[in-house]
Amino acid sequence: ELKVEQNPLFLSMQEGKNYTIYCNYSTTSDRLYWYRQDPGKSLESLFVLLSNGAVKQEGRLMASLDTKARLSTLHITAAVHDLSATYFCAVDGGETSGSRLTFGEGTQLTVNP
Amino acid sequence: ETGVTQSPTHLIKTRGQQVTLRCSSQSGHNTVSWYQQALGQGPQFIFQYYREEENGRGNFPPRFSGLQFPNYSSELNVNALELDDSALYLCASSLTVNTGELFFGEGSRLTVL
């Protein structure tokens, strides 16, 4: 059974600081996704990482994937309050899984002024 | 381009009742997946439909059932509701069955009393 673990689960940081969220998963997969969820809202796709060594950046967020280590990171640079949300990583079990995603528990990020 | 739409957005039921949730997939997408997200948790895969047939199922009992229609819209039916069924139910569509990237609707929040 594919397991996905995120840490930390809760993160409180000051504006302007940098931090990294980690996502470990338990089986080989080349496809990993990061989503953002605001309270009471649905999931917004942030990044799609489809190969080992993939790195993608959008604004203050950068995601990377190391399939050999079964690890993805979401790095936050110079955090701002608008980044406050819950961030989920999700792993695709591969073509045989038919796009079935297994999600981590989520990291609840709070950025304080 | 029309995104994924779900209805109803909120509903309240009592134990033992039945509920039907509806989803219209994003234009051009032929695969629909349903996820259950309990409060404070990551989404859990319920099942996926492709070409009007179930194409993979998570660890949910048979009282969770679904349909996909020729226009790729979908329904999730839950019979004999239990208190633990209270959750946000998310529908997601993808371009086809193995593309991986999912686009989520706003969800249907079900409360079972």
Side-chain angles (χ1 to χ4, degrees), chain A residues 42-78:
Chain A
S42 189
L43 298 170
E44 174 192 353
S45 179
L46 293 175
F47 298 108
V48 178
L49 304 170
L50 298 178
S51 62
N52 186 42
V55 177
K56 291 199 174 177
Q57 182 163 5
E58 180 74 33
R60 301 174 187 274
L61 300 178
M62 182 173 71
S64 66
L65 177 62
D66 181 344
T67 59
K68 294 179 182 177
R70 300 178 187 174
L71 170 69
S72 179
T73 60
L74 180 66
H75 186 73
I76 303 156
T77 302

Side-chain angles (χ1 to χ4, degrees), chain A residues 31 33 35 37 40-45 48 50 88 92 94-106, chain B residues 33 35 37 40-43 45 48 55 57-58 88 90 94 96-102 104-107 109:
Chain A
R31 304 198 285 199
Y33 307 84
Y35 288 89
Q37 187 175 40
K41 300 293 186 181
S42 189
L43 298 170
E44 174 192 353
S45 179
V48 178
L50 298 178
F88 291 96
D92 186 332
E95 288 194 0
T96 56
S97 77
S99 307
R100 166 182 177 165
L101 298 188
T102 300
F103 284 80
E105 289 185 65
Chain B
S33 304
Y35 287 77
Q37 186 179 21
Q41 303 291 319
F45 175 76
Q48 180 185 81
N55 180 53
R57 187 178 184 93
L88 181 67
L90 295 164
S94 53
T96 189
V97 68
N98 284 321
T99 55
E101 187 175 13
L102 301 181
F104 285 85
E106 291 294 314
R109 184 164 297 282

